[in-house]
Amino acid sequence: MKAGRLHRRQLGAGIAALSLVLAAGWALTPHGNRQEAAQWFADVCSSVARPMFASAPAPAGSGADARPATSSKVLSCEALPNVPGKSVTTVLVDFPPLAYSPAHRHPGSVTAIILEGTIRSQLGGGPVGTYRSGETFFEPPRTLHLFAENPDPVRPAKLLAVFVADENCGPLVLPPDAD
């Protein structure tokens, strides 16, 4: 009985010491790296509702469907006079804190410009990308977009998507199994 209590005390002391070391490291970390460290901690601590490090979409029944969804607003759609049969559409996509967008495809080419916050995204066959305000990513037509998410539990994120697709401005999103 005494050995069990001693072991628990040692474990508790070890956890407390580790917490102090992490706090000291946090205080000494330059600002830019603090954001990366905060993201790492958020990834590790949030594995209940999604896979650890969110490198793939959360499996069905794991709570991902309980996460907030993205919302989008079409800002413009214009026929491209020099490219018959094609149009360019701009869409504003809002990601509330912890918002998650499951697997889907787009019928045309898409360039995403991050306007605020952080977006994590993964295209089929590629690594997970983390994009911050001012950065962009490109999706070729019909590429499987495995997921997109705002990993921040407090701050919203926003992106501007520019689609070049068939004339008539839609549809812009296809199911993941469309080919």
Side-chain angles (χ1 to χ4, degrees):
M1 185 81 167
K2 288 183 181 181
R5 263 188 267 158
L6 178 61
H7 178 70
R8 281 193 298 269
R9 280 190 196 153
Q10 288 173 334
L11 181 61
I15 291 172
L18 178 61
S19 298
L20 287 173
V21 168
L22 290 173
W26 178 264
L28 297 173
T29 302
H31 178 68
N33 290 337
R34 283 185 183 181
Q35 289 176 340
E36 291 173 18
Q39 182 59 55
W40 182 83
F41 284 118
D43 286 337
V44 169
C45 295
S46 65
S47 62
V48 171
R50 59 190 170 125
M52 187 170 286
F53 302 110
S55 60
S62 67
D65 33 337
R67 292 177 66 182
T70 61
S71 64
S72 61
K73 177 182 177 186
V74 175
L75 300 177
S76 68
C77 176
E78 302 293 332
L80 292 171
N82 60 336
V83 186
K86 297 294 179 182
S87 62
V88 61
T89 305
T90 54
V91 177
L92 189 61
V93 184
D94 287 304
F95 288 76
L98 295 178
Y100 182 85
S101 175
H104 61 277
R105 295 177 191 269
H106 300 289
S109 299
V110 182
T111 297
I113 304 132
I114 312 308
L115 300 176
E116 69 180 65
T118 300
I119 304 290
R120 289 172 45 88
S121 177
Q122 183 177 24
L123 300 179
V128 174
T130 301
Y131 306 94
R132 293 176 177 78
S133 183
E135 296 180 326
T136 67
F137 63 88
F138 177 77
E139 296 180 46
R142 296 192 173 274
T143 297
L144 181 60
H145 190 169
L146 294 170
F147 78 98
E149 71 175 349
N150 174 0
D152 195 299
V154 178
R155 292 181 295 259
K158 188 177 293 193
L159 67 78
L160 182 70
V162 180
F163 295 82
V164 176
D166 292 335
E167 196 170 24
N168 80 6
C169 304
L172 299 174
V173 179
L174 302 173
D177 56 358
D179 46 347

